[in-house]
Each structure stands twice: as structure tokens, then as C-alpha cells.
Amino acid sequence: MEYYELLRQLVSMKYNSCHSFKFVVRKRTMQYETKILTTKYQKPDAYGALSMPVYYTAAFEFESAKAMGDAFCGRSMAPSYARIANPTVTYLEERVRQLTGATSVTALNTGMAAIHYALTAVSAAGLNIVASKHLFGNSVSLIRDTLGSFGVEPRFVDFTKPEEVAAQIDDKTCALFFEIITNPQLFVADIRKLADIAHQAGVPLIADTTIVPFSTFHAVDFGVDIEVVSSTKYISGGGTGLGGLLIDYGKFDWSQSPSPALQARTKKVGRKLAFTARVKTELVTNLGALMTPQAAYMETLGLDTLDIRFRRQAETTLWLAKQCQQLPEIKRVNYTGLEDNPFYELSREQFGSLPGAVFTIDLASKEAAFAFIDKLQIIRRATNLFDRKSLAIHPASTIFGLFTDEQRAAMSVPDTTIRLSIGLEAGEDLLEDIKQSIYFSE
């Protein structure tokens, strides 16, 4: 059986312990908190382990030469080699797929790998990507420099202005790419409007949703076709390892894509599965960035408490942001959950009352910002997001440190801004740490 035919069958397949993937109808009667703990293993564990074992192996033994050939040629879903599939990684993918209702999930080594795979899958020389000009620094350089060097044209625009986005689309546009809440600017785009613009033009909408987890924000409900997530963040939860997720909701008609590779796969596997087919059969195999089994195991554990941790962290973030508004030394507090934020109404409509666990503050100068960070005692000086520990960073000199002053200004990254990722510490203690850092930095 050819791989593409097998892939088509898997979409409608119910659970079968002989296969590594299961595609089932999402259980709408089961609550998220229960569903996250009830995904079955691909095969029953010999010892009945309650946690999915870590399969530390590069290769897998087969019962026969035919079984080996079937695995390597895609005629079965048995793992052939750990660069291509690993049972621990597959289990994480399946848990996320069950939780999101996606067609497929691919777990990769980093969030940047997920973005790379997503954009590489849809692009080709001579095509263009219309992307937000307010992106994480490495996302900008990936699109502008890396993909640009292969003949993909970057078109950066303000995604909070849908009319400007629409004006950049033509028949060579292969994707719209943006962050649902930008990092660190915390700008919010109207996702439904972007989806309407994209789909009217026959273009997929690809969103980096890292800042609000899928336990709270259901991207597909807003018209997102492909979702990328840095699972290093909320899912890992403790900064225990790197990871990225590439989520395909199987909604987009890839026969509309200007990509020759996706056109070819559309003929083989159908209009809805061409993207997944290219990712699973080409990019995973050829680029070699599949998530490691240890990272997959740690992130599987993180999924168990994802929703509980996020709600606690986001509640503390909202409270802390409100308290910081009362401190005259802080010139600006930026969090879309604050009622005076210009994106408050749109943010609440899309993400509810808890739009993430990160906010920014602006002090009087870069020197004041550095002094503040240096005096912190509880909040850690680190670059991750959504760790259990609260973290602080100066974006202009770190994440965007290799950009020019003019480029940072165009991306709305001033040198007075401090980004705070809020963890699980008591809010009162974090507030006292902020206060003492401000007073001692004077």
C-alpha cells in the first residue's frame, strides 16, 4: 500500500493498537481536563506503565524483511528509524492531536524548527510570504535571510491593519504568517478578518500561537489553517527541554497553493492532506529535526498540568500588571488584559479574560531598565517564556540585539521595555521584587 493511500485511510481510522497514529472523531462530551489524561498508547505497555516510556533507541527490530521494507517505504506506520519516528514522540503528537482536533501534529526539536517546516512546506523560489513586521527576531531573520536566500520573497506588513495585508497578496503569495499576540510588542490582530482575507485569495493562514496555549485559544475556530507552537514554553512548563509543534487542521484546500510540491501531493493524497504529506514524508525525513524522545517525555508530563498552570500564571499576570500601573516609576504597563489597553476588546473576544502570562513595562531609559533587571532577586534574568519561574529580559539588547536602531524602531521594540514572564510564585512576592528593583535602580 502506498504511503499516500495509507494516509488517506488513517484520517477516518479509529484506534488500532497495531498502528502508530490514530485519527478519531474528537470527543466533544469529554472535558479538556479529562481528555488530556486519557489518550491511549499506540501499543499497550508490557508493564502497564502509567507514564509513556522513553524509547531511547536509534533503530527498531523487525520480524521480517518484508515488515522492514513496508516500514521504510511507508506501507505501514511502524517506526523505521528514530530520525523519522519514535513511539514516545508519536504519543506526544497524538495527545496534542486529540486535544486540538487537528488532522496531524508533528513534534520537532524547537519552535523555530516548527516555523521553518511550516513555511518551507508551502514555499518555493519565486513565491512570497506576507508576514507580520512584528515578529520574534529569529522569525524575521528566517523569512528575510534564510528563506530569502532561496528565492522566497519576504513581504513584511502591519497585521493590525488588514487592508495593508490584503494589498500585499498576489498570485505568488504562498502564506500569511503572524503571531496571535506579538512578542514583545503585545499587538493583537483580528484573526477572523485575516482568515477571510487569506481564504478569499486562496492563501493559507499560518499562526504562531505560542503566547496563548491551545487549552484556552482554539485557533481553528478563528480560521487558522496551520498552527505553530514553541512547546518549550507552556507545555514544557519548567524549561526542561526544547520543542516545537506543527499542527495541521486539514481545512485548507491545497489545490489553490502556488507551490509545485503541494500541487503534486494534492494529486496523490487529496486537497486537504497535501501539507501533512509533505511534512511527514519529505521534511521530517530530509531535514532531521524530529523531537528527541526525552523532550517528548518531559512535554507529555507538562501537558498533564498545562491548563492548571496557565490559569494560575495568567491570573497572577493580570493582578501584577494592575498593581504595576499604580507605580509612578513605571512609565507604561502593556498587557492586553488591561481595560485601558488599545487591544483589550479584540483580545478579550479572541482569548478571553486571560491573554497569556507575559506583560511588559517601560521605564524612563535603557539605563533604568538595565539597573532594574540587575536588582531583581526573585524574578530570574533569563530568555525563556512561561517557565514555572518568573523571568525578565530586555528585548532590545537580546532577542533584537543584532538589529539596527532603525530596524528595532520599525518593529516597535524600544530600549526602555522590559518583558516579564510570570511563573507560579506568589503574586505579592513578585510585586515586592519589582518594587525593590525600581527603588534601588533609582
Side-chain angles (χ1 to χ4, degrees):
M1 183 187 299
E2 292 295 328
Y3 178 83
Y4 296 115
E5 178 60 28
L6 184 61
L7 187 61
R8 275 194 294 265
Q9 291 187 19
L10 283 170
V11 173
S12 60
M13 188 180 200
K14 292 190 176 181
Y15 182 77
N16 184 334
S17 63
C18 294
H19 295 279
S20 296
F21 295 91
K22 55 175 178 176
F23 293 84
V24 298
V25 177
R26 190 178 181 185
K27 296 179 181 179
R28 299 186 182 278
T29 57
M30 189 179 292
Q31 297 298 309
Y32 179 91
E33 296 86 350
T34 305
K35 188 185 302 181
I36 205 167
L37 295 169
T38 54
T39 302
K40 296 180 180 179
Y41 303 156
Q42 300 92 276
K43 292 185 177 182
D45 179 66
Y47 298 97
L50 287 179
S51 292
M52 179 67 171
V54 182
Y55 284 86
Y56 268 130
T57 182
F60 304 88
E61 185 177 8
F62 295 90
E63 294 181 354
S64 67
K66 181 181 184 303
M68 184 181 295
D70 287 344
F72 274 83
C73 295
R75 292 186 292 270
S76 79
M77 296 305 295
S80 57
Y81 187 61
R83 174 168 53 82
I84 301 169
N86 176 283
T88 311
V89 179
T90 298
Y91 181 61
L92 172 65
E93 293 174 338
E94 177 57 19
R95 289 191 76 184
V96 174
R97 198 195 66 77
Q98 292 263 343
L99 292 169
T100 60
T103 293
S104 74
V105 175
T106 305
L108 301 164
N109 273 333
T110 65
M112 282 307 305
I115 296 171
H116 179 199
Y117 276 46
L119 297 181
T120 298
V122 301
S123 63
L127 304 183
N128 66 76
I129 296 171
V130 177
S132 171
K133 70 176 185 178
H134 302 115
L135 292 174
F136 174 68
N138 290 119
S139 296
V140 173
S141 58
L142 169 68
I143 297 169
R144 183 192 63 197
D145 302 331
T146 307
L147 295 179
S149 69
F150 289 98
V152 180
E153 179 191 355
R155 296 183 178 181
F156 293 106
V157 66
D158 187 347
F159 267 50
T160 65
K161 300 176 180 178
E163 67 281 0
E164 293 186 11
V165 175
Q168 291 295 318
I169 299 174
D170 59 25
D171 61 357
K172 296 296 184 180
T173 301
C174 60
L176 300 188
F177 177 67
F178 74 112
E179 297 170 1
I180 57 171
I181 301 180
T182 65
N183 172 21
Q185 306 90 347
L186 305 185
F187 294 165
V188 180
D190 189 321
I191 302 171
R192 285 195 174 96
K193 283 186 179 179
L194 292 176
D196 288 343
I197 290 169
H199 297 156
Q200 287 171 11
V203 175
L205 184 63
I206 304 177
D208 183 337
T209 66
T210 297
I211 207 161
V212 183
F214 45 69
S215 60
T216 295
F217 173 68
H218 306 125
V220 68
D221 293 343
F222 290 83
V224 172
D225 299 298
I226 305 295
E227 183 175 5
V228 294
V229 180
S230 174
S231 54
T232 309
K233 310 302 192 296
Y234 283 121
I235 295 174
S236 172
T240 54
L242 300 174
L245 300 173
L246 177 52
I247 304 172
D248 177 9
Y249 285 100
K251 300 291 185 180
F252 189 74
D253 179 355
W254 294 103
S255 67
Q256 302 178 82
S257 173
S259 163
L262 290 176
Q263 286 288 336
R265 281 165 177 78
T266 295
K267 295 176 181 177
K268 290 184 177 182
V269 74
R271 297 179 298 172
K272 302 296 186 181
L273 293 175
F275 178 90
T276 283
R278 189 175 192 197
V279 169
K280 295 288 189 183
T281 65
E282 178 188 341
L283 301 186
V284 168
T285 301
N286 294 349
L287 298 182
L290 190 74
M291 184 181 286
T292 65
Q294 175 64 20
Y297 175 76
M298 297 304 293
E299 294 192 4
T300 296
L301 296 182
L303 275 178
D304 292 349
T305 58
L306 168 64
D307 193 55
I308 296 171
R309 285 185 288 105
F310 168 70
R311 293 185 183 282
R312 165 68 186 274
Q313 288 175 272
E315 287 169 358
T316 302
T317 301
L318 177 58
W319 179 84
L320 196 58
K322 289 179 178 179
Q323 299 305 308
C324 286
Q325 286 184 312
Q326 309 305 313
L327 303 178
E329 295 84 0
I330 295 178
K331 306 306 178 184
R332 178 173 179 253
V333 179
N334 184 17
Y335 181 60
T336 65
L338 296 172
E339 292 185 10
D340 61 352
N341 187 282
F343 297 104
Y344 173 75
E345 293 297 339
L346 181 58
S347 176
R348 190 174 183 86
E349 176 187 336
Q350 296 179 157
F351 315 118
S353 60
L354 299 173
V358 61
F359 72 101
T360 66
I361 60 174
D362 280 82
L363 300 184
S365 64
K366 177 181 178 180
E367 292 73 24
F370 271 43
F372 170 86
I373 292 173
D374 289 347
K375 294 294 182 180
L376 290 169
Q377 297 178 7
I378 297 175
I379 301 172
R380 314 299 180 93
R381 291 171 284 276
T383 188
N384 198 12
L385 284 173
F386 316 128
D387 195 307
R388 296 183 187 92
K389 305 175 184 68
S390 293
L391 312 173
I393 195 171
H394 183 256
S397 64
T398 54
I399 302 168
F400 296 86
L402 297 179
F403 292 86
T404 66
D405 291 343
E406 292 75 17
Q407 288 171 328
R408 284 194 292 269
M411 292 185 283
S412 304
V413 184
D415 61 12
T416 56
T417 297
I418 299 162
R419 189 188 73 189
L420 297 170
S421 172
I422 304 306
L424 293 172
E425 304 93 342
E428 293 81 359
D429 294 331
L430 295 174
L431 179 60
E432 287 304 310
D433 196 25
I434 290 171
K435 286 181 177 179
Q436 67 84 23
S437 296
I438 288 175
Y439 299 147
F440 279 105
S441 66
E442 288 289 296

